Each structure stands twice: as structure tokens, then as C-alpha cells.
Amino acid sequence: MTDDEGRFEVQTFDPGDGLTEGTHRVAIKKIAMVDKAGNIVAEVGEPGSVTEKNFVPKQFSDFEKSGLEITISANGENELEPFQLAK
């Protein structure tokens, strides 16, 4: 999940556990529930009143199809560069 500035934390299995050393395939997914007018909603009022909206092209939500990889080093800080997502 990202914050308002697009920052995120990575995880392997559990929230906050980070990544192990090595190369990892990456999946990126950002969705929200929206009403019929396209407004983001926090709670669903009636069944069928909202739909899921993808904010990132769908190909990036599957790490086998995204084409994105990162390499994590065991020594030092691992600052990830922003991902450039093209349709």
C-alpha cells in the first residue's frame, strides 16, 4: 500500500518483514472501490453499488507478467528507484 506520496514498504510473507537478499520479481497493484460516479468510497453501502477500480495497468498486478525486478543486497541500504510503468 502506498501513502499519499507513493511511498511503500515491501514484504515477503508478512507485513513489515522486508525482503530477503537476491533478485525478486515485482507485482504492483493499487485499487479502490468507487461508486457509479467514480468517487472513491471507504464503505460499501449496498451490494452492487460500487466497483473495483485499478489505478495501475493490470499487467503489473501479476509478478509473472509485470517484467519488473529488483535486487536486494545484504550489505548496506537498499533504496529502490521509482518504477516506471508504461501501458
Side-chain angles (χ1 to χ4, degrees), residues 8 70 78-84:
F8 61 93
I70 57 170
N78 288 289
E79 281 292 320
L80 301 177
E81 294 296 320
F83 290 103
Q84 301 300 316

Side-chain angles (χ1 to χ4, degrees), residues 19-53:
L19 293 176
T20 57
E21 177 183 9
T23 300
H24 300 272
R25 293 180 290 175
V26 176
I28 298 174
K29 186 173 185 179
K30 184 166 178 101
I31 60 169
M33 300 307 287
V34 296
D35 63 17
K36 292 177 182 177
N39 301 310
I40 295 174
V41 296
E43 295 182 20
V44 176
E46 299 179 22
S49 64
V50 297
T51 58
E52 185 177 275
K53 178 179 179 182

